[in-house]
Amino acid sequence: MKADILIAGVGGQGQILASRLIGAAAILEGYTVRTGETIGMSQRGGSVVSHVRIGGESKSATIPFGQADLMIGFELCETVRNIKRLSENGRLIVNTQRINPVTVSLGMDEYDTNAMEDALKKTTSNLIMLDGYSLAHQAGSFKAVNVVLLGAAVGAGYLPLSRDSFIKAIEEIMPQRFHNLNYAAFDSGHDLAGRIIAKNTE
Amino acid sequence: MIKLLMGNEAIALGAIKSGVRVVSGYPGTPSTEILETVAKNNDGSIYVEWSVNEKTAMEVAAGAAYSGARTMVTMKQVGLNVASDPLMSLAYIGVKGGMVIVVADDPGPLSSQTEQDTRHFAKFSNLPVLDPSTPEEAYEMVQAAFELSEQVGLPVFLRPTTRICHACSSIDISDSREEHIPSGFEKDSRWVIFPQLSYRRHIEIEKIQVALSLIFSKSPFNTVSGKGSLGIAGSGIAWSYAQDVINDLGLNVKTFKVGTPYPFPVKLAESFLEGLDRVLVLEELDPVVEEALLEIAGSKGLRISISGKKNGATPYAGEFSYELVHKAISDFAALPGADINEPAIPPLPSRPPVLCAGCPHRASFYAVKKAMKGQKAVFTGDIGCYTLGNAKPLNMVDTCLCMGASVSVAQGIKRVEPDTRLFAFIGDSTFFHTGIPGVINAVYNQTDIVLVVLDNSTTAMTGHQPHPGTAKTMMGNVSEKIDIEGLLRSIGVKWVQKINPFDQKAAITAVKEASNVKGVSAIIFEAPCIALVKKPEPLRVDSHICRACGLCIREIGCPSMILKEDGKVQIEPSTCYACGLCSSICPFGAIGGMNHEG
Ligand code: SF4
Ligand code: SF4
């Protein structure tokens, strides 16, 4: 199996942890992994991306334009910003949460939600949009958005790694006091995406 | 055991495997995680420290290497500028225990002031440099670097770049560890640099360069393969992109992978150039490999055309990408370019990094801004999270040059503009790094400046490392806390005040007073970085009281504040740190705690 997965979002949303979890789950299933992260100044609320490459022969961690099999967008505008890396009709999970850049609050820039959502719908039909922010909050913490979205990717059948491997990866990487919260977060995304897919194929 | 490791973690674990005994460094993106990983995996037999700056770190490592210990020192590329004084002499003195100098370069740059290329420093200082193309190669190279260092008696550079440092690979690592017991320091005139000694050593060093070139021609980090009349040479991450592109295009070319850019593996390069008509060189930053190949071709009188930066085939500035390398190789091999059909996207708002919601620096900048309203003032800035105070709406960073420069640049401006008030902003870690000499300079030369120390009890930008003012060390010990106020007083700063910047009234009064002091005055704004405190319940805006004036957002630009459709303001509860700065600005008292109406 070979899968290139791109995660795009705003610094502080826990992308690095998400890519580490995918990496750990993939290693548990016997695959080789490469990841590349944005670490540094952009982590202070700037645009960040993580690349995760499972299997395959590539030597570099960066996914070329048009080659991501799956993209997990942690925030609407950042998803659109990086959509050029998604493959033709590739799979896309989007957290509909809108995080206003300060430039928008100051009136220097505009954030056109409708135009952005339209652009995504035009790019691919394998698209699931969900409110990861509220699901994470219900699971016990706003911070668990990252794990909700991973759950959704697995639940939709977009990420060919098992729920079990992710449960083990959470156990391996995260402090024990966060385990139950993250299991719940994972499952809430997993179940919702599963239901959306079932409904779409009806 | 297969583990997913970041390049920086791989370097750390490779060094531990090689029996490293002393590790020193100063935090700097993208190098920081190397030293942190050593500390995290320390069984107690390794001495690890964050030094006060890179020069100190280099000297600590040198002393340990004189004493026969395997040592490693880590920093980012601009850190090497600070450490260049000991570096240049160290090449003459040499080492006994293996010494690896890890300097992380930052093409882009993504988090740096410059795009300088450490391979030049290697050449300049006559020290060998290894340039990894993947995290797994970095793991192998750091181990080879210790061996090589002991073999030739010189420190060895390992020079990863951001895309190696911050990329992860599944790497098969072993738990075994080489045992290297340091022989101890032996008194000998070789450790004392004198002109006579330097002359003799210079002759030796040049001989070692020749020997190193031969060693590198046989190194597994340099390889020549394939055949044909077209050749592609590459190093670092550019080589990884090149391999992927060559594979994807199914191209048959001769290749030369360069893992040791200096001293250049001349013999191997000659075998690469043999029979070629044209060569494309792929490397980020400066044309180091390209120049080496040009030199060989020139001295051998070979009729080969060599493409790279010098003929515009690839750029000097910025980092490479798969796409850039794809285009360069396609052009070189006269293949049609890939047509990438990019999806049409609507205009998007820009999203530059900002100070966190609740960051105490925002309050400090705001207090100074308020106090100096309508006055002629210049605000010199420095390196850290607070460089982000340059953004709108704060606009409070007029200059930024390098670590510690805020304090001294302010003095130069003051000498030309005596009627302007000069404020030098510097963070706590940067103050200890290279800020102190500048303050002494101002006191000594009686220059009127206001020093503003932004003390948030950590080195925040690089991920919250301890420093001399925090009293914590990387060995887990608690040391004597170095008190900034006491230090300033002891060097002759008479007017010093410590203030919590969230007490805006007191802060503004103090700033006004400080700006009227003759000579150096200092304000220490003391409040911890939000990463060090538990997140409190957020504040909220009472929408019945909010009159949609937008003043709070316009004044401070906190990322937790959102302008709603109706022009009223809302606070994002997941990120608000309840610092209260916005509520001190709201003229109608609309912003308050949780029991406030939402
Ligand atoms: S990490 Fe700390 S110092 Fe840096 S912007 Fe955030 S609150 Fe401020
Ligand atoms: S209290 Fe106001 S200024 Fe402070 S973090 Fe919350 S929204 Fe931002």
Side-chain angles (χ1 to χ4, degrees), chain B residues 357-358 539 556 558 560-561 571 575-583:
Chain B
L539 298 196
I556 56 169
C558 169
S560 278
M561 314 197 76
I571 288 176
T575 51
C576 167
Y577 256 74
C579 72
L581 188 61
C582 55
S583 73

Side-chain angles (χ1 to χ4, degrees), chain B residues 70-83:
Chain B
R70 287 199 159 181
T71 66
M72 179 165 76
V73 55
T74 74
M75 64 196 69
K76 69 181 298 179
Q77 90 282 38
V78 285
L80 186 59
N81 301 339
V82 177

Side-chain angles (χ1 to χ4, degrees), chain B residues 194-223:
Chain B
F194 262 114
Q196 262 299 314
L197 174 76
S198 304
Y199 172 75
R200 280 201 313 273
R201 277 294 291 170
H202 193 181
I203 297 171
E204 277 307 301
I205 293 166
E206 293 303 334
K207 283 188 197 149
I208 301 176
Q209 308 302 302
V210 178
L212 275 165
S213 170
L214 290 173
I215 294 174
F216 282 163
S217 277
K218 298 203 180 99
S219 159
F221 301 127
N222 300 315
T223 48

Side-chain angles (χ1 to χ4, degrees), chain A residues 44, chain B residues 354-361 385 388 456 460-461 464 529-531:
Chain A
R44 306 271 171 275
Chain B
V354 287
L355 292 172
C356 297
C359 175
H361 300 331
C385 282
L388 297 172
N456 62 357
M461 182 49 109
H464 310 99
C529 165
I530 61 157

